Amino acid sequence: MSEPHDLGRIVMVVPTYNEAENLDWIVARLRAAQPAVDVLVVDDGSPDGTGQIADRLAAADSHVSVVHRTEKAGLGAAYLHGFGVALDRGYDVVGEMDADGSHQPEQLHLLLDALHDADLVIGSRWVPGGSVVNWPRSRELLSRGGNLYVRLLLGLPVRDATAGFRVFRRTALEAVDLGSVRSAGYVFQTDLTHRVLSAGLRVREVPIEFVERERGDSKMSRAVATESLRRITAWGLRERRRQLSRIWGRNDR
């Protein structure tokens, strides 16, 4: 067990939709691994009772709180709502992680330690030392290929821009204008990474072991992946046009 030092108040935002099988278990692990870190569950109106479980956890532990949303509007929308609540409550560090156990709370200290000299720290599957457990080869190739595509098209010096285990300094979230973010699905992770880097802030990746969920249904689908690639392609082409415009502008002087 490791506790963060000199980072101020920390909260991990955990979005949920139909995670009744996992929420109690993952919150207990997070609270045991990092007793000084608060937990904010953002539930998108889960019909399986996840919201009620979150309420029970919050009633028993002052370090746990819940935001209930009335519709399933996408991962990015849930995180944006949670980030807004966290900033309003004065947290100095705001993190994000999945509720299904794929992000191990016991490794959170690696991210928090790295935040001492960064504005955003990403728990990365694809840097040396990172790994995935229980993934078929096809899914690993899809993730690696998607991240390579992101790196080449957007010019991001990040190997796992789609990762969802990360911690931000509040100053980083304040710098990227969360109110202008429109990406609602999994592409949200790449969007925020791009915005933080574009603001001139420091991004670090630390290796983690990602474990595929054992209970419940994955929210990732081919349609979600296709939408993410479509949005990233549009951003990349727009960025390339801006770069060419700047080059042509200099040459015309």
Side-chain angles (χ1 to χ4, degrees), residues 24-208:
D24 206 336
W25 168 68
I26 199 65
V27 170
R29 288 175 59 190
L30 178 53
R31 295 289 296 119
Q34 293 290 341
V37 172
D38 290 345
V39 183
L40 174 61
V41 178
V42 181
D43 186 63
D44 271 3
S46 299
D48 72 342
T50 300
Q52 288 75 23
I53 294 171
D55 285 335
R56 173 174 56 78
L57 294 173
D61 186 346
S62 62
H63 287 272
V64 179
S65 61
V66 188
V67 172
H68 293 280
R69 289 161 50 83
T70 57
E71 63 176 340
K72 186 176 186 291
L75 183 72
Y79 271 131
L80 286 171
H81 193 150
F83 288 173
V85 171
L87 293 176
D88 287 344
R89 293 179 181 177
Y91 284 100
D92 302 291
V93 173
V94 182
E96 55 174 89
M97 63 181 291
D98 291 347
D100 61 10
S102 56
H103 302 142
Q104 300 179 69
E106 297 79 12
Q107 296 185 334
L108 177 56
H109 69 96
L110 300 173
L111 280 65
L112 294 173
D113 289 345
L115 195 62
H116 284 94
D117 58 359
D119 300 290
L120 163 61
V121 176
I122 298 171
S124 177
R125 298 159 292 187
W126 309 131
V127 295
S131 62
V132 296
V133 177
N134 297 330
W135 263 19
R137 183 64 173 167
S138 59
R139 187 169 176 187
E140 179 177 342
L141 290 174
L142 179 65
S143 180
R144 285 184 180 273
N147 274 286
L148 176 61
Y149 183 70
V150 167
R151 201 156 65 247
L152 295 175
L153 190 63
L154 298 180
L156 299 185
V158 173
R159 298 188 67 86
D160 199 354
T162 62
F165 193 19
R166 49 180 68 191
V167 289
F168 298 83
R169 290 185 180 271
R170 86 171 280 122
T171 49
L173 292 177
E174 290 170 338
V176 299
D177 186 16
L178 293 176
S180 69
V181 177
R182 295 292 176 264
S183 49
Y186 283 81
V187 71
F188 170 81
Q189 309 294 8
T190 302
D191 190 354
L192 264 286
T193 304
H194 184 252
R195 286 169 181 260
V196 170
L197 287 165
S198 296
L201 301 177
R202 303 164 297 173
V203 175
R204 284 192 60 187
E205 292 182 274
V206 297
I208 62 160

Side-chain angles (χ1 to χ4, degrees), residues 207-239:
I208 62 160
E209 179 186 66
F210 179 97
V211 181
E212 176 63 6
R213 71 159 66 230
E214 298 177 359
R215 297 173 290 194
D217 297 322
S218 173
K219 311 303 187 297
M220 177 59 73
S221 67
R222 184 170 295 276
V224 170
T226 300
E227 169 64 10
S228 295
L229 288 176
R230 186 185 68 79
R231 293 287 298 272
I232 289 166
T233 299
W235 291 342
L237 293 176
R238 202 159 52 236
E239 180 65 21

